Amino acid sequence: MTGHVANFSAGPSTLPASVLEEARDQLVDYQGTGMSLIEMSHRGPHYTEVHNETTSLAREVLGVPDDFEVLFIQGGATLQFSMVPMNLLGEGEPGGYVVSGSWAKKALADAQVYGDAYAAWDGAADSFRGMPSSEDLEVRADTRYLHVTSNETIGGIQMFAWPDVGVPLVADMSSDYMSRPVPWERFDLVYGGAQKNLGPSGVTIVFVRKSVLETTNRDLGAYLRYDVHADGDSLYNTPPVFSIWMVGKVLKWIVAQGGVAAMEAAARTKSGILYDAMAASEDFYRSPVDTDSRSLMNVVFRLPTEDLEAEFVGAATEAGLVGLKGHRSVGGCRASLYNAMPLDGVEALVGFMAEFKADRG
Ligand SMILES: Cc1ncc(COP(=O)(O)O)c(C=O)c1O
């Protein structure tokens, strides 16, 4: 695609060029109807087909069992920080949270508004350098679920071993969704926004165990109830049609690439090249996180000084490598290597890093 840069942004983020081109070609006149899909009724035949296809593709790509519902909800993963405890926590049932970084902290803070939610582990004292193991967690009696953040987008750490503490898991998978398999038997609910691995912002995909819906809290406004979304096949109100349409296209692209297994293998290759280049740089590019928790999706790194970091980000942008500035809360640099980041984008980055070091190191 002409004029395209290598986009390392953390989200919204790079999408497959072929998907963007296809959407461009189909946007104005959908299948010869003389109007755009996003101008049509969400209850008409064209959108219904898209909706159902995206739902089945989401199931197919992640191997979701039949006893889970697939829901498309607006409000981002942020709304799920509230919906999860609102729906799942009852009297005398606390929710445990693995506080692994900025996103987990937000999830816990919102849960505490609605129920008895507590930190089963908190990595703050260790500057969120790594994920805990099951033995590190302190899970209270009667805990309804343990909430985990599978990948901390800002801190650049990823959970590779799911906690085994005898309670169902709930996971925010926003930044590594569909880049690894999910062992469904361990989970009651999984959620994530689309705008990293799956499409534009505007839709959050929630997978929830059907049996869980039998006991969720009914004393909530309709939009906030998972059972209402499930009963209406995510069409209780007007869904985010454009986002769902685009997610369907990205899911088809994932299938064509070889599915989640191929995404995971590619993520290992891409992040491996970058981590190896950092290791070979004699600490010019330094990872601030523990080796065994280093994210395959968001590679964070520091340079010797903040001035050099600013210079690096500026020079990289001029070279067509954009979105490398770390999150404003932590500084440094971050390269997000989501599913759609091509290998040659990472190779270009590694080449640029070597040149920059040769110049300024
Ligand atoms: C891990 C994680 N959780 C939650 C969020 C918040 O998502 P949203 O902006 O869709 O509400 C983000 C956003 O970057 C994220 O990375």
Side-chain angles (χ1 to χ4, degrees), residues 10-11 75-79 81 103 149 151-154 172-175 191 193 195-196 204 338:
T78 302
L79 181 61
F81 294 168
W103 293 112
T149 307
N151 185 71
E152 285 283 355
T153 323
I154 294 174
D172 172 3
M173 295 198 178
S174 292
S175 52
Y191 65 89
Q195 68 271 20
K196 296 156 197 315
T204 306
Y338 296 126

Side-chain angles (χ1 to χ4, degrees), residues 203-352:
V203 65
T204 306
I205 306 182
V206 177
F207 298 102
V208 56
R209 191 179 285 283
K210 285 180 183 166
S211 59
V212 166
L213 295 174
E214 288 162 22
T215 55
T216 45
N217 184 9
R218 268 38 177 181
D219 195 14
L220 297 168
Y223 196 83
L224 301 172
R225 286 172 49 176
Y226 289 125
D227 64 309
V228 167
H229 288 283
D231 286 349
D233 291 328
S234 298
L235 287 160
Y236 172 73
N237 71 337
T238 317
V241 294
F242 179 73
S243 301
I244 292 171
W245 183 42
M246 290 292 290
V247 167
K249 291 185 184 302
V250 175
L251 289 171
K252 264 187 237 166
W253 175 87
I254 291 176
V255 171
Q257 305 300 303
V260 159
M263 295 297 106
E264 189 175 28
R268 286 196 188 285
T269 305
K270 291 183 288 184
S271 58
I273 292 174
L274 195 42
Y275 286 122
D276 286 351
M278 285 159 60
S281 78
E282 295 155 337
D283 259 10
F284 186 76
Y285 301 106
R286 188 174 45 81
S287 168
V289 301
D290 292 343
T291 312
D292 58 1
S293 291
R294 291 186 318 199
S295 171
L296 310 187
M297 294 280 115
N298 307 101
V299 178
V300 293
F301 53 97
R302 304 299 314 229
L303 275 71
T305 65
E306 287 184 12
D307 284 348
L308 269 174
E309 286 169 351
E311 217 184 303
F312 174 84
V313 170
T317 306
E318 275 174 33
L321 306 165
V322 308
L324 288 165
K325 194 167 186 299
H327 190 269
R328 61 190 184 283
S329 62
V330 292
C333 301
R334 168 178 56 177
S336 296
L337 313 178
Y338 296 126
N339 286 346
M341 170 55 63
L343 182 59
D344 59 10
V346 184
E347 285 167 346
L349 173 60
V350 166
F352 174 81

Side-chain angles (χ1 to χ4, degrees), residues 12-339:
S13 40
T14 195
L15 292 174
S18 60
V19 165
L20 295 174
E21 285 164 350
E22 187 181 286
R24 176 198 60 202
D25 293 346
Q26 296 176 351
L27 185 67
V28 176
D29 182 1
Y30 190 72
Q31 295 184 352
T33 54
M35 60 181 181
S36 178
L37 181 78
I38 62 173
E39 298 174 303
M40 294 178 191
S41 165
H42 58 288
R43 305 204 187 270
H46 292 97
Y47 179 71
T48 300
E49 194 186 352
V50 166
H51 192 88
N52 294 343
E53 192 180 26
T54 305
T55 307
S56 10
L57 280 161
R59 279 190 181 284
E60 178 189 336
V61 166
L62 263 193
V64 184
D66 288 344
D67 58 336
F68 276 76
E69 292 280 358
V70 184
L71 310 177
F72 300 126
I73 302 180
Q74 304 195 49
T78 302
L79 181 61
Q80 296 310 306
F81 294 168
S82 294
M83 280 180 71
V84 166
M86 279 174 165
N87 280 270
L88 269 60
L89 293 185
E91 247 339 275
E93 291 179 327
Y97 281 71
V98 174
V99 184
S100 48
S102 317
W103 293 112
K105 252 164 78 176
K106 287 193 168 169
L108 173 60
D110 280 354
Q112 284 173 332
V113 174
Y114 301 103
D116 179 11
Y118 68 94
W121 181 83
D122 193 331
D126 206 18
S127 309
F128 298 119
R129 288 187 60 91
M131 289 287 182
S133 61
S134 295
E135 300 77 60
D136 301 325
L137 305 178
E138 288 180 24
V139 176
R140 284 202 229 145
D142 299 324
T143 291
R144 170 65 189 82
Y145 59 76
L146 181 74
H147 181 283
V148 299
T149 307
S150 56
N151 185 71
E152 285 283 355
T153 323
I154 294 174
I157 57 173
Q158 194 167 7
M159 186 172 268
F160 295 108
W162 303 112
D164 194 357
V165 287
V167 297
L169 301 178
V170 167
D172 172 3
M173 295 198 178
S174 292
S175 52
D176 62 357
Y177 232 4
M178 316 268 179
S179 72
R180 63 197 291 196
V182 175
W184 291 102
E185 67 285 357
R186 311 280 296 279
F187 291 89
D188 264 4
L189 189 148
V190 163
Y191 65 89
Q195 68 271 20
K196 296 156 197 315
N197 268 337
L198 295 175
S201 58
V203 65
T204 306
I205 306 182
V206 177
F207 298 102
V208 56
R209 191 179 285 283
K210 285 180 183 166
S211 59
V212 166
L213 295 174
E214 288 162 22
T215 55
T216 45
N217 184 9
R218 268 38 177 181
D219 195 14
L220 297 168
Y223 196 83
L224 301 172
R225 286 172 49 176
Y226 289 125
D227 64 309
V228 167
H229 288 283
D231 286 349
D233 291 328
S234 298
L235 287 160
Y236 172 73
N237 71 337
T238 317
V241 294
F242 179 73
S243 301
I244 292 171
W245 183 42
M246 290 292 290
V247 167
K249 291 185 184 302
V250 175
L251 289 171
K252 264 187 237 166
W253 175 87
I254 291 176
V255 171
Q257 305 300 303
V260 159
M263 295 297 106
E264 189 175 28
R268 286 196 188 285
T269 305
K270 291 183 288 184
S271 58
I273 292 174
L274 195 42
Y275 286 122
D276 286 351
M278 285 159 60
S281 78
E282 295 155 337
D283 259 10
F284 186 76
Y285 301 106
R286 188 174 45 81
S287 168
V289 301
D290 292 343
T291 312
D292 58 1
S293 291
R294 291 186 318 199
S295 171
L296 310 187
M297 294 280 115
N298 307 101
V299 178
V300 293
F301 53 97
R302 304 299 314 229
L303 275 71
T305 65
E306 287 184 12
D307 284 348
L308 269 174
E309 286 169 351
E311 217 184 303
F312 174 84
V313 170
T317 306
E318 275 174 33
L321 306 165
V322 308
L324 288 165
K325 194 167 186 299
H327 190 269
R328 61 190 184 283
S329 62
V330 292
C333 301
R334 168 178 56 177
S336 296
L337 313 178
Y338 296 126
N339 286 346

